[in-house]
Amino acid sequence: MSMQVIAERIRGFICLNAHPTGCAANVDAEIAVAQQGAAAGTPGTGLGAALVIGGSTGYGLSSLLSAVFGYGAQGTAVCLERPPQRERTASAGWYNLAASQRRARSAGREIAVINGDAFSGEIKDQTLARLKQAGRKLDLVVYSLAAPKRVDPSDGVTYSSVLKPLGDSYRSKSINLGNEEVVEVEIGPASEAEVEATRKVMGGEDFAAWVHALAEADLLAPGCRAVAYSYIGPALTFPIYRSGTIGRAKEDLEKTTAELSALLAARVGGAAYVSVNKALVTQASSAIPVVPLYISLLFKVMKAAGTHEGTAQQMARLFRDHLGPGRQPRTDGEGRIRLDDLELAPDIQEQVTALWDQVTTENLSALSDYAGFRTDFRKLFGFEVPGVDYALPVETDISIST
Ligand code: NAD
């Protein structure tokens, strides 16, 4: 037992603690969106079993909740989260999955959680053993990892990803999340070794290792679909994203996914897809230079246009229109599902670019939705969630059944 009043402890783009009641309220709100989204889809159809690698926060959590609460799947989530330790709270993803498990249980379903390094052979083996034991073959595999480093299990080498441009230095406006000022940043180009390290962490190798391991273990159901998430974004952020180190890694992920699609087709009559999602506030995206300022301007314009979505709405749309039972994904010329269509709509981007040119520290709150970014960031950790009384002590020692 550890009852305490919890106040947020934020350092730049990192929050050191999390609020269990706030995280549980976020999960409930996401479940409501997942159920609404599914109700608007094909009625009476469901998913048998879904595995979400990176299923504790952001896009992965929303995918898990859509599959389980929208389509009745039995879920398995793999994640790397910190359990509570005495007075120290758990990480947000821990509380998210604890709340998701409770809700699943009362709905007569199960969410199994494997907490550990998804890149490792050991966690893959544990996951396969769990699925075998449950007698579950997967209809859906979601790959939603966002990680700063990876130990390659084949040789034990540690690779660290970097967020840098290629070729030339990049100068841009950015928000200093520490003092909330609009500043000019200059980011030097990546070395070849950094490009390769980022590919090793965020490219397709580990997604392929998972799909191969699941296929070898005969854990894929007929027609199984696998999906990994990518991002493209506007020309404004190309140097730091799509044309930078992370973009190279995403190209690798997209190429690997096409190869995996052929494997799934041959083995189980299934397919693999990349879904290009919208820029949203998550723990991963908040750490990318320049992106928080872009997101703040984007939110202002998309909220005014009535086209703004969060991760829950994006994933509900992914299932309803593309990956849900009985749905055939619609893809672009390169075989990718495009959930970034509303973000990249020309009228939206024209307005964002015009605001980008004008934004300064002084007019940041008038021109952008930085307030929305700030709130969304705190909400990721269970803070500033409507309806939660933060003056009350709460139990932080909450367990997950693993
Ligand atoms: P996130 O930080 O919210 O989630 C990352 C997940 O990975 C968490 O569940 C975390 O526990 C897990 N994880 C990290 N390292 C791990 C490890 N070693 N072993 C096991 N689990 C580990 O990130 P997100 O923004 O939801 O990103 C998920 C995917 O979506 C990424 O591929 C990202 O590039 C993509 N994407 C994100 C955005 C965006 O704006 N956030 C947009 C488009 C695509």
Side-chain angles (χ1 to χ4, degrees), residues 1-6 18-24 84-90 94-95 98 102 389 392-399:
M1 289 280 285
S2 178
M3 293 290 285
Q4 50 178 312
V5 174
I6 309 161
H19 198 285
T21 316
C23 290
Q85 284 166 327
R86 290 186 291 276
E87 281 77 52
R88 200 170 171 216
T89 73
W94 180 275
Y95 291 137
R102 288 197 299 272
D389 185 350
L392 290 180
V394 288
E395 177 58 68
T396 55
D397 189 10
I398 293 174
S399 60

Side-chain angles (χ1 to χ4, degrees), residues 42-99:
T42 318
T45 53
L47 280 171
L51 168 67
V52 184
I53 302 148
S56 54
T57 57
Y59 275 114
L61 175 69
S62 301
S63 311
L64 178 76
L65 297 176
S66 251
V68 172
F69 296 95
Y71 298 89
Q74 299 291 357
T76 302
V78 180
C79 62
L80 189 59
E81 298 296 344
R82 186 188 70 235
Q85 284 166 327
R86 290 186 291 276
E87 281 77 52
R88 200 170 171 216
T89 73
S91 57
W94 180 275
Y95 291 137
N96 289 340
L97 285 180

Side-chain angles (χ1 to χ4, degrees), residues 144-230:
S144 188
L145 284 190
K149 66 177 171 47
R150 168 181 173 218
V151 179
D152 184 341
S154 69
D155 54 14
V157 175
T158 302
Y159 295 93
S160 295
S161 66
V162 300
L163 294 156
K164 290 188 179 182
L166 303 184
D168 293 318
S169 287
Y170 168 55
R171 283 181 73 83
S172 171
K173 286 180 180 176
S174 189
I175 301 179
N176 176 339
L177 295 176
N179 60 13
E180 307 189 340
E181 285 182 1
V182 176
V183 290
E184 190 85 6
V185 289
E186 178 162 357
I187 306 160
S191 66
E192 270 312 308
E194 287 174 321
V195 174
E196 174 59 5
T198 309
R199 187 192 70 80
K200 291 287 283 185
V201 182
M202 290 297 286
E205 256 181 34
D206 185 59
F207 182 33
W210 272 101
V211 172
H212 281 277
L214 291 162
E216 288 312 310
D218 193 21
L219 284 166
L220 303 177
C224 173
R225 286 166 168 178
V227 63
Y229 298 139
S230 189

Side-chain angles (χ1 to χ4, degrees), residues 6-10 15 17-26 29 180 281 303 369-391:
I6 309 161
E8 65 199 33
R9 293 177 57 217
I10 291 175
C15 182
N17 58 354
H19 198 285
T21 316
C23 290
N26 286 336
E180 307 189 340
V281 183
K303 284 179 183 175
D369 185 31
Y370 180 63
F373 174 90
R374 209 175 166 278
T375 302
D376 280 3
F377 181 74
R378 280 154 178 76
K379 277 176 78 179
L380 294 177
F381 306 92
F383 298 106
E384 292 188 19
V385 178
V388 176
D389 185 350
Y390 291 97

Side-chain angles (χ1 to χ4, degrees), residues 53-61 78-81 93 114-119 123 143-149 202 228-232 241 246 250 253 275-285 291 295 311 380:
I53 302 148
S56 54
T57 57
Y59 275 114
L61 175 69
V78 180
C79 62
L80 189 59
E81 298 296 344
I114 318 283
N115 189 37
D117 181 9
F119 295 123
I123 286 297
Y143 190 81
S144 188
L145 284 190
K149 66 177 171 47
M202 290 297 286
Y229 298 139
S230 189
Y231 182 66
I232 295 177
Y241 201 95
I246 182 72
K250 290 295 186 191
L253 177 70
S275 173
V276 183
N277 300 341
K278 178 192 180 190
L280 280 174
V281 183
T282 65
Q283 294 184 46
S285 69
V291 166
I295 286 181
T311 57
L380 294 177

